[in-house]
Amino acid sequence: MKPLKKITIIGVGFMGGSLALALLKAYPNIFICGYARNKASLLKLSRLKFLDCIEEDLERAVKDSDIIILSLPIYAIISHLEKIAPFLKKGAIVFDMGSSKELIERAAHKYLPKDVNFVGCHPLCGSEKSGARFAQGNLYKGALCVITSPRHHTATKIVKCLWQKLGCKVIFMPSKEHDRVLSLVSHLNHVISFCITQNLKKECLSFILPSLKDLTRLSGSPASVWADIFISNKKNLSRDIKKFIKVLEKVEKMIAGAKINALARFIEKVNQKQALLN
Amino acid sequence: MKPLKKITIIGVGFMGGSLALALLKAYPNIFICGYARNKASLLKLSRLKFLDCIEEDLERAVKDSDIIILSLPIYAIISHLEKIAPFLKKGAIVFDMGSSKELIERAAHKYLPKDVNFVGCHPLCGSEKSGARFAQGNLYKGALCVITSPRHHTATKIVKCLWQKLGCKVIFMPSKEHDRVLSLVSHLNHVISFCITQNLKKECLSFILPSLKDLTRLSGSPASVWADIFISNKKNLSRDIKKFIKVLEKVEKMIAGAKINALARFIEKVNQKQALLN
């Protein structure tokens, strides 16, 4: 196998910027190139000095690159798969970091040339913050990274090694299953947090208890990222929201009907389940 | 005004135990007595050495006490208001720390003798943990404490000073308003957290992301405390759960209908509101 010499990151925000920092440290000899979508972004990235080069031209950014990383909102990943397709060198590896995987995987198969390898990735870390200026070089250390491409492919193995070198624990899962699980453990919770904040009245603002802070923190997550995630996983998510509403309705009935024993039993069962989460 | 010489805490769990520790430090000369409901509790409390005396007999516990503090689940506060009533000395102050206030206030007016002063209190701090062994002497430091009794009464002023001495910021609010606000900023969020955990499948247990931990932490809160809170504030809480479900349904419709622009605008508005919570 030829050594990796150039990696391109398309989308140098919080996740992409953190990845750039981590790659610089793990692979000091690889040329790390970032693609800036506009002058403003170019200027910001130049100041941060994360990258060996910043390109405003997509073709120049991905040309001769061994690995191209798409760190963008879901639908921007999909459109960039089509945009970069003509410029990729034979044998290049493209991977993404999107939070839903089925649509992206389908787009990769549709748009990328046969002699380019696609690997679907989702490192399970992040922040409600956005922007490269918040980038953290150790963001990926200790994180779980799901790979949705077949584990025996050479490209998958290379990408797996990369994530492991950054400190991730890699697990494999088909994209369909990934989207089903992530809907429940992540996407639904973001929906709930957005709705909790939406539901608060102004008079509540002086009563921001630690518990409320915990539950509303995610509602600071950026619209540009999360609207895409929700819509791209809409079947799973819509079903999970409806199921969650059913549980809420059940509890509301117990409360309205003053069924204190049933309610206490429900909470005790939940307590036992919660103990498993720690 | 005569100096305070004896304070009795009925219910020495996490909240009551933390209060005992804080009082011992703030009032080293006051005799702090705890009431243990049974032998097991007596034994546990003896080991912890929080108190100047531990009584198994309710009459002896509250007899000659200047201040009697009820730190129990809501309905146990109500039943103990009735139980202690015959044993209270003239001019004694009784205050509680319950998380809903209207029912307790009504019970105090019903059961306590006219020559005893009741002050409704709710220090806004706590933990999903329970039990005196987790007690923290600095739990009340910096916390908000709501007092629901009229601020000009002498007894209210004494209790206000006590909370301030423990480091609380005291605010006044009628019990009806307290219960309305707390439903939204605390009780609803506990309901939601219990429902999130209930809704998780076993296969999700290996995907406990930090965001999910934040949202499920409260679901470890004890049934003995929270079933009472929910039922005692059932009118407000039932209304707030239903309103929250309406918001969820609205978001679910946007997602199922792939209304990405509407969804993005919704999230952006929520982001602005969330920024006010910090």
Side-chain angles (χ1 to χ4, degrees), chain B residues 80-144:
Chain B
H80 278 78
L81 281 166
E82 189 176 7
K83 283 183 195 164
I84 60 172
F87 312 131
L88 299 170
K89 80 166 178 187
K90 198 181 152 183
I93 296 172
V94 176
F95 75 80
D96 77 300
M97 311 210 283
S99 295
S100 79
K101 304 258 53 99
E102 242 194 310
L103 279 192
I104 291 172
E105 199 170 271
R106 229 179 289 157
H109 288 185
K110 183 173 167 190
Y111 296 124
L112 295 184
K114 289 285 157 281
D115 57 8
V116 162
N117 304 287
F118 175 76
V119 180
C121 299
H122 181 202
L124 302 184
C125 52
S127 166
E128 68 281 10
K129 289 173 192 150
S130 59
R133 69 187 186 283
F134 295 112
Q136 297 163 7
N138 60 356
L139 180 70
Y140 299 95
K141 209 171 173 178
L144 211 60

Side-chain angles (χ1 to χ4, degrees), chain B residues 230-257:
Chain B
F230 292 164
I231 303 281
S232 67
N233 198 16
K234 64 180 197 286
K235 264 197 182 170
N236 288 311
L237 188 51
S238 159
R239 185 201 56 228
D240 287 338
I241 296 172
K242 284 177 180 167
K243 277 179 62 185
F244 179 68
I245 289 175
K246 289 247 178 305
V247 183
L248 273 177
E249 283 171 343
K250 192 182 127 188
V251 173
E252 188 279 325
K253 277 208 180 69
M254 288 194 268
I255 292 169

Side-chain angles (χ1 to χ4, degrees), chain A residues 75 124 144 171 173 180-181 184-185 188-189 191-192 194-201 203-209 211-223 227-228 230-231 234 237-238 241-245 247-249 251-252 254-256 258-260 263-264 266-268 270-271 273-274 277, chain B residues 75 124 144 171 173 180-181 184-185 188-189 191-192 194-201 203-209 211-223 227-228 230-231 234 237-238 241-245 247-249 251-252 254-256 258-260 263-264 266-268 270-271 273-274 277:
Chain A
Y75 291 103
L124 301 183
L144 210 59
I171 58 166
M173 199 184 248
R180 200 165 44 75
V181 171
L184 205 50
V185 299
L188 175 63
N189 299 316
V191 168
I192 291 170
F194 287 125
C195 291
I196 291 174
T197 298
Q198 167 67 15
N199 199 38
L200 286 176
K201 293 179 190 162
E203 60 181 13
C204 300
L205 294 182
S206 12
F207 293 91
I208 306 305
L209 313 177
S211 61
L212 188 58
K213 272 211 167 172
D214 277 358
L215 269 73
T216 55
R217 188 177 58 80
L218 291 182
S219 70
S221 305
D228 278 27
F230 292 164
I231 303 282
K234 65 180 196 287
L237 188 51
S238 160
I241 296 173
K242 284 177 180 167
K243 276 178 61 184
F244 179 68
I245 288 175
V247 182
L248 273 177
E249 283 171 342
V251 173
E252 189 280 326
M254 287 193 269
I255 291 169
K259 310 282 187 205
I260 199 161
L263 191 58
F266 168 80
I267 296 176
E268 278 160 14
V270 170
N271 286 165
K273 209 166 170 184
Q274 200 268 351
L277 306 183
Chain B
Y75 291 103
L124 302 184
L144 211 60
I171 60 166
M173 199 183 248
R180 201 166 43 76
V181 170
L184 205 51
V185 300
L188 175 62
N189 299 317
V191 168
I192 291 170
F194 286 126
C195 291
I196 292 174
T197 299
Q198 167 66 15
N199 200 37
L200 286 175
K201 292 178 191 162
E203 61 182 12
C204 299
L205 295 182
S206 15
F207 293 90
I208 306 306
L209 313 177
S211 61
L212 188 58
K213 271 212 167 169
D214 277 359
L215 269 75
T216 54
R217 188 178 57 80
L218 291 183
S219 69
S221 304
D228 278 28
F230 292 164
I231 303 281
K234 64 180 197 286
L237 188 51
S238 159
I241 296 172
K242 284 177 180 167
K243 277 179 62 185
F244 179 68
I245 289 175
V247 183
L248 273 177
E249 283 171 343
V251 173
E252 188 279 325
M254 288 194 268
I255 292 169
K259 310 281 186 206
I260 198 161
L263 190 59
F266 168 81
I267 296 175
E268 277 161 13
V270 170
N271 286 164
K273 209 167 172 184
Q274 199 268 350
L277 306 184

Side-chain angles (χ1 to χ4, degrees), chain A residues 143-159:
Chain A
L144 210 59
C145 181
V146 183
I147 294 185
T148 54
S149 298
R151 69 168 81 204
H152 60 273
H153 286 185
T154 309
T156 306
K157 285 178 189 164
I158 293 169
V159 174

Side-chain angles (χ1 to χ4, degrees), chain A residues 2-278:
Chain A
K2 285 211 278 183
L4 302 173
K5 292 190 179 174
K6 179 183 174 187
I7 294 180
T8 300
I9 301 174
I10 301 180
V12 192
F14 175 73
M15 297 292 288
S18 298
L19 189 65
L21 283 173
L23 288 173
L24 275 179
K25 205 175 162 193
Y27 298 97
N29 298 321
I30 296 181
F31 187 71
I32 314 275
C33 176
Y35 169 64
R37 277 173 290 179
N38 51 50
K39 280 266 176 250
S41 161
L42 183 98
L43 217 74
K44 267 189 237 163
L45 289 177
S46 314
R47 272 195 224 106
L48 289 169
K49 298 190 168 77
F50 285 173
L51 301 152
D52 295 315
C53 104
I54 307 161
E55 285 287 358
E56 265 191 294
D57 181 88
L58 195 57
E59 179 171 359
R60 277 205 306 272
V62 303
K63 199 175 165 267
D64 304 319
S65 220
D66 300 299
I67 296 184
I68 299 94
I69 301 168
L70 296 162
S71 176
L72 296 162
I74 308 284
Y75 291 103
I77 291 174
I78 290 173
S79 66
H80 279 78
L81 281 166
E82 188 175 8
K83 284 182 196 165
I84 61 172
F87 313 132
L88 300 170
K89 79 167 179 187
K90 197 181 152 183
I93 296 171
V94 176
F95 76 80
D96 77 300
M97 311 208 284
S99 296
S100 78
K101 305 258 52 99
E102 241 193 311
L103 279 192
I104 292 171
E105 200 170 88
R106 232 180 288 157
H109 289 183
K110 182 173 168 190
Y111 295 125
L112 295 184
K114 290 286 158 279
D115 56 9
V116 162
N117 304 289
F118 174 77
V119 181
C121 300
H122 181 203
L124 301 183
C125 52
S127 165
E128 69 282 8
K129 289 175 191 147
S130 60
R133 69 188 184 283
F134 295 111
Q136 297 162 9
N138 59 357
L139 180 69
Y140 299 94
K141 209 171 173 177
L144 210 59
C145 181
V146 183
I147 294 185
T148 54
S149 298
R151 69 168 81 204
H152 60 273
H153 286 185
T154 309
T156 306
K157 285 178 189 164
I158 293 169
V159 174
K160 181 189 164 193
C161 282
L162 183 145
W163 286 118
Q164 285 173 333
K165 186 130 185 194
L166 303 189
C168 283
K169 191 192 159 204
V170 172
I171 58 166
F172 292 89
M173 199 184 248
S175 60
K176 206 182 173 78
E177 192 184 336
H178 167 277
D179 290 3
R180 200 165 44 75
V181 171
L182 266 286
S183 170
L184 205 50
V185 299
S186 167
H187 307 170
L188 175 63
N189 299 316
H190 281 76
V191 168
I192 291 170
S193 186
F194 287 125
C195 291
I196 291 174
T197 298
Q198 167 67 15
N199 199 38
L200 286 176
K201 293 179 190 162
K202 268 195 186 155
E203 60 181 13
C204 300
L205 294 182
S206 12
F207 293 91
I208 306 305
L209 313 177
S211 61
L212 188 58
K213 272 211 167 172
D214 277 358
L215 269 73
T216 55
R217 188 177 58 80
L218 291 182
S219 70
S221 305
S224 56
V225 173
W226 285 92
D228 278 27
I229 294 173
F230 292 164
I231 303 282
S232 67
N233 199 16
K234 65 180 196 287
K235 264 198 182 167
N236 288 311
L237 188 51
S238 160
R239 185 202 55 228
D240 287 337
I241 296 173
K242 284 177 180 167
K243 276 178 61 184
F244 179 68
I245 288 175
K246 289 248 179 302
V247 182
L248 273 177
E249 283 171 342
K250 191 182 127 188
V251 173
E252 189 280 326
K253 276 207 181 70
M254 287 193 269
I255 291 169
K259 310 282 187 205
I260 199 161
N261 294 329
L263 191 58
R265 278 195 305 271
F266 168 80
I267 296 176
E268 278 160 14
K269 271 193 190 167
V270 170
N271 286 165
Q272 287 168 12
K273 209 166 170 184
Q274 200 268 351
L276 301 176
L277 306 183
N278 291 314

